[in-house]
Amino acid sequence: MVSPNHRVTTVVRDIRRENGAIVTLTLMDPDGWPLPPFTPGAHIDVHLPNGAVRQYSLCGDPVDQARYSIAVQREADGRGGSVLMHDGVRVGDTLLVSLPRNHFALAAPGHRHVLIGGGVGLTPLMSMVAELRRRKDPFELHACLKSRSDMPFRGWLEPLERDGLARLYATRDADGSRLDIAALVRGLPDDVHLYCCGPARMIDAVLAASVGRPEDTVH
């Protein structure tokens, strides 16, 4: 049995800037071996060079065992981990990570799914969308952004929007809109599974709107 404290050695193979605050890092095995598998919604602990440990959702496709993708939002007023990831980690650096764990799993196949995410909170939903498309389960994504000009994950969000699978809400744009969470949740049948990841206010709004829904459909 593998210890839950087992650490996996990875190498940073790519760093991509998503917008003014978020970067996506691609981590791979130093020798190109497959990484331990993960399920949609999973996360890993990243052991930073200064000894700190931070959790990041895996935002890649779970069938791709060659790489882990994580997105990091710079928090200037945070505890320092995100600043170190932005300023101190470079392509070629080694990072130790935990085995993937999942406390935000997808429901079993055969359901309709509604996903709500805000900013960097979209990251666990990215792996979910990949799996839902493979399953051919019906789903819709509601992505809350500050502005279209500075939105993260553009290459992922815009194709979903064009295909009618995602709605984007740019709250600070002159012609933008804000997601009415209460109205959205109120209109969902009880057998629809609802997922949310984002700022605390967003999660609180989803929980408040979900009062009375079957508990196992709210994630």
Side-chain angles (χ1 to χ4, degrees):
M1 180 180 295
V2 178
S3 166
N5 297 319
H6 181 78
R7 298 182 186 180
V8 177
T9 300
T10 68
V11 173
V12 180
R13 293 300 189 201
D14 183 63
I15 300 176
R16 183 178 69 251
R17 179 155 294 283
E18 299 290 349
N19 65 3
I22 298 172
V23 294
T24 295
L25 287 77
T26 300
L27 311 178
M28 301 180 72
D29 180 87
D31 299 314
W33 289 96
L35 292 169
F38 70 96
T39 53
H43 70 273
I44 54 174
D45 296 339
V46 176
H47 297 261
L48 304 182
N50 66 354
V53 179
R54 297 290 185 270
Q55 294 183 346
Y56 297 103
S57 295
L58 291 166
C59 50
D61 189 334
V63 302
D64 182 3
Q65 289 187 246
R67 73 204 79 239
Y68 289 158
S69 294
I70 59 172
V72 182
Q73 178 168 285
R74 185 185 183 96
E75 302 284 357
D77 298 326
R79 295 178 294 164
S82 68
V83 173
L84 177 58
M85 290 287 279
H86 275 249
D87 297 347
V89 174
R90 298 289 181 263
V91 172
D93 287 355
T94 297
L95 288 177
L96 295 177
V97 306
S98 71
L99 295 174
R101 301 193 302 278
N102 199 337
H103 305 301
F104 189 43
L106 270 176
H111 298 280
R112 179 183 163 209
H113 309 261
V114 172
L115 302 91
I116 301 172
V120 77
L122 289 162
T123 52
L125 308 184
M126 297 171 80
S127 63
M128 292 182 175
V129 166
E131 178 67 14
L132 291 171
R133 299 192 82 169
R134 196 162 25 252
R135 288 184 189 177
K136 301 189 185 308
D137 275 1
F139 75 90
E140 59 190 75
L141 170 69
H142 297 266
C144 300
L145 315 163
K146 292 180 180 179
S147 69
R148 281 185 175 266
S149 63
D150 194 41
M151 73 175 178
F153 319 119
R154 182 182 301 273
W156 176 70
L157 283 169
E158 288 185 337
L160 289 173
E161 184 183 35
R162 287 195 298 269
D163 291 342
L165 299 172
R167 292 191 61 183
L168 277 54
Y169 306 83
T171 56
R172 296 185 182 177
D173 288 354
D175 58 349
S177 60
R178 184 177 296 275
L179 172 62
D180 187 337
I181 290 175
L184 173 65
V185 175
R186 188 167 55 244
L188 297 179
D190 283 349
D191 60 346
V192 172
H193 281 260
L194 177 65
Y195 308 80
C196 178
C197 186
R201 286 190 305 169
M202 172 183 288
I203 294 173
D204 289 343
V206 169
L207 291 174
S210 300
V211 171
R213 290 187 61 79
E215 185 175 334
D216 63 351
T217 67
V218 181
H219 309 269

